[in-house]
Amino acid sequence: MASAARFLLAMPLLLSLVLQQAASAPATFPGDRTALSLSLRDNRFHGTLPAETPLPPSLRVLGLSGNAFSGEIPGSLFTSASSLEELDLSRNAFTGPVPPQVASLGALTRMELQHNGLTGSLPWMGKMRSLAHLDVSGNALSGSLLDALPPQVVSVVARNNSLSGPLQAAAFRALPTMQVLDLTGNAVTGAVPGAAFEHPALEQLRLGSNQLGTVEEASDGGASSQLVEVDLSGNRIAGKLPGCLGAMPRLAMVGLDRNRFIGGVPDTYAARVSEEEATDGRVPFTKLTLQGNYLCGALPSQMRQIKEGSATVSLADNCLL
């Protein structure tokens, strides 16, 4: 047991030695990606990362997830990491800010920092010309997010942080390739902009458990939307249910529960949950959660005829007849 403890305590030195060896090793096989990767995932290593040893320029993948590393992420690690394509520091105990030096990693395609104790705002990443996938969930990050992202990003996951401020339509337009946006469990306020529903690539929009107050309709009525899933549950959204959701041709999962919606259930919603196959180019709703609102009036007749197993619908805690 004592020898194991000594080994774990020596982890920062071990990592430093590994990085030094990688930096000095000749690039004999430039096409061998395995030789240019360092993975120590899912072990019991702990301690701080060595600030005095930058990552070698040849390193393409660094995976340290699932350990107990702590302290701040040294910005000096990334000063020479010009070839780094994947960075996975998730599921550790890192604290402090995300170092601004990561924003200079032009080859990085994937950055995973989820489930640490990171704080502050994300650095501006507009020069990260290759970044496609970003996951910073389960930290304590604050400020806004979308304005910091590069235009080619595909997937943005930032669940359970302290991100705040409104969602700007311009920010959605500046990210034309984004397919996934997950900001569940933050403190985002204001309106869901219609630009989110008109986005040319966005398929999953998850904004549950924030402080949103309104939803803007799509200017085209939702006909051009690529959305497959919309989750706005657990906010403070008032007014009538957004009509454009019923017109989105690919939309299958809709979460609007635990808000302050009023009025009745639109006939377009009822038609989508009662369908068993695509009709008029629109897929059926497989999930529609409306519980915990202030909906009232008669339930559309089509919703009274839903076949068992065809769709998951929740209408509890409303005033529907």
Side-chain angles (χ1 to χ4, degrees):
M1 184 67 103
S3 60
R6 285 195 297 271
F7 177 74
L8 294 177
L9 288 172
M11 177 54 211
L13 177 60
L14 172 63
L15 181 58
S16 180
L17 292 173
V18 169
L19 294 178
Q20 289 176 11
Q21 185 177 18
S24 61
T28 309
F29 304 104
D32 185 1
R33 303 176 77 87
T34 304
L36 302 174
S37 300
L38 174 60
S39 176
L40 300 174
R41 292 182 173 95
D42 297 319
N43 281 285
R44 298 181 181 179
F45 298 130
H46 64 269
T48 58
L49 297 185
E52 69 281 359
T53 307
L55 299 175
S58 58
L59 191 69
R60 295 183 183 273
V61 178
L62 177 63
L64 303 180
S65 63
N67 285 285
F69 291 117
S70 59
E72 295 192 3
I73 302 171
S76 56
L77 276 180
F78 309 106
T79 55
S80 302
S82 56
S83 299
L84 193 65
E85 297 175 359
E86 296 184 21
L87 175 65
D88 187 355
L89 304 181
S90 62
R91 298 182 292 119
N92 280 283
F94 291 116
T95 56
V98 177
Q101 288 85 347
V102 300
S104 64
L105 301 177
L108 198 70
T109 63
R110 178 180 293 273
M111 183 161 63
E112 299 191 47
L113 304 177
Q114 64 269 30
H115 303 302
N116 282 286
L118 301 173
T119 56
S121 300
L122 284 172
W124 183 71
M125 295 177 280
K127 294 184 179 180
M128 299 180 74
R129 61 184 182 275
S130 302
L131 186 66
H133 303 280
L134 173 68
D135 193 339
V136 293
S137 299
N139 285 285
L141 297 170
S142 56
S144 60
L145 172 64
L146 297 186
D147 294 342
L149 300 174
Q152 79 288 337
V153 70
V154 174
S155 176
V156 180
V157 183
R159 300 171 62 94
N160 301 325
N161 279 280
S162 299
L163 300 172
S164 60
L167 297 171
Q168 302 290 348
F172 282 89
R173 298 188 184 106
L175 303 172
T177 62
M178 183 170 62
Q179 297 178 12
V180 177
L181 176 62
D182 190 346
L183 300 180
T184 304
N186 282 280
V188 180
T189 57
V192 181
F197 301 137
E198 303 161 12
H199 195 279
L202 192 61
E203 297 181 356
Q204 294 179 327
L205 178 64
R206 299 172 180 169
L207 302 175
S209 300
N210 278 280
Q211 300 173 21
L212 296 164
T214 59
V215 177
E216 297 177 3
E217 293 280 357
S219 62
D220 64 352
S224 66
S225 176
Q226 300 300 307
L227 283 164
V228 174
E229 177 185 1
V230 172
D231 181 14
L232 305 179
S233 61
N235 280 280
R236 305 171 181 177
I237 304 173
K240 294 185 177 181
L241 294 172
C244 62
L245 297 185
M248 295 180 183
R250 302 182 62 201
L251 189 61
M253 293 178 285
V254 182
L256 301 175
D257 51 282
R258 294 173 292 118
N259 278 287
R260 301 172 183 177
F261 288 112
I262 60 173
V265 178
D267 290 339
T268 52
Y269 285 33
R272 295 286 289 272
V273 297
S274 64
E275 296 167 353
E276 297 184 33
E277 56 186 30
T279 303
D280 297 328
R282 295 179 297 191
V283 302
F285 282 173
T286 59
K287 181 179 180 181
L288 175 64
T289 57
L290 300 176
Q291 73 269 19
N293 283 287
Y294 302 105
L295 302 175
C296 59
L299 193 66
S301 58
Q302 289 168 298
M303 296 192 76
R304 301 177 185 274
Q305 302 169 7
I306 299 174
K307 295 182 179 180
E308 185 175 353
S310 60
T312 299
V313 179
S314 179
L315 303 171
D317 298 322
N318 283 286
C319 298
L320 295 163
L321 301 173

